[in-house]
Amino acid sequence: MIADRRLLPHESGPEVLDQLRTRLTCLGLERDGLKVTAELTLDMPGFETDQDAPLVGALVDAAAAAGAGHPPLGGWTAACDGGFLARDAKLPVVVFGPGSVSEQAHRADESVAIDQLVIAARTYARIILDLLGVS
């Protein structure tokens, strides 16, 4: 059996691995003839951007103006390079795009509707113009 434990904002992979190993040791599984190993195979940082950040406001406004409505603000269980940008470059990060990461992405027949692609492109353009202060 394999378990996948994602990192939450402000956690580090080695820290979580140490906590997991400590908890596994406390279970005493070896007494029952069970062997468990824990390893860090990918250190993908979690991140969180304050909902009051200018980038978040720009996204919400741009998405509404582009026809996407108001995107829901909240957590996301997938992984992306945004965690590295947030942690290493100290940049605010939002995840937004066309389609569904859980229903369409990373499949042999991956696709997105053209109208969703156009709305996303308009949203990106509006965010850029807004953050640059261009009318």
Side-chain angles (χ1 to χ4, degrees), residues 18-108:
D18 285 345
Q19 291 171 358
L20 177 61
R21 286 181 172 156
T22 298
R23 290 179 182 185
L24 289 171
T25 299
C26 290
L27 292 174
L29 299 174
E30 293 79 16
R31 291 187 309 255
D32 298 325
L34 299 172
K35 180 180 179 185
V36 178
T37 58
E39 61 182 308
L40 182 63
T41 58
L42 179 63
D43 192 356
M44 180 71 71
F47 63 94
E48 181 176 33
T49 301
D50 190 304
Q51 290 187 8
D52 295 327
L55 179 60
V56 175
L59 169 63
V60 169
D61 294 344
H70 290 281
L73 302 180
W76 188 48
T77 58
C80 71
D81 291 341
F84 296 110
L85 293 170
R87 183 191 69 193
D88 301 339
K90 307 292 187 246
L91 292 173
V93 176
V94 295
V95 177
F96 174 83
S100 167
V101 73
S102 61
E103 296 174 15
Q104 294 171 289
H106 312 298
R107 298 166 192 252

